[in-house]
Amino acid sequence: MDIAKYMTTAVLLSSLFNGMDNWAWYMYALIVVAVLVTLFMGLLMFKDKEK
C-alpha cells in the first residue's frame, strides 16, 4: 500500500513542477492502473485468512 501512496505522491509532485499538459492519455491510464494494482496487491497481503 505504501508503494501506491508513493506513486501517487510522485505523480502529484511532478505535475506541480513540470505540468502534465504534454502527457498523452495513455500515461494517465498507466499511472492509474499502476496505483490500483499496487494498492490491490497491498490490500491482499493484509487480508486476514480465516481457516
Side-chain angles (χ1 to χ4, degrees):
M1 287 182 8
D2 287 337
I3 295 171
K5 290 189 289 186
Y6 294 146
M7 289 171 50
T8 305
T9 303
V11 170
L12 290 175
L13 288 176
S14 66
S15 69
L16 287 175
F17 291 119
N18 293 332
M20 295 175 74
D21 299 334
N22 302 353
W23 289 26
W25 65 270
Y26 55 85
M27 290 302 290
Y28 293 110
L30 179 66
I31 292 168
V32 169
V33 168
V35 168
L36 290 176
V37 166
T38 55
L39 181 63
F40 182 72
M41 293 303 292
L43 290 174
L44 280 178
M45 289 182 187
F46 283 116
K47 183 178 178 183
D48 292 334
K49 296 182 180 179
E50 297 177 3
K51 292 184 179 183

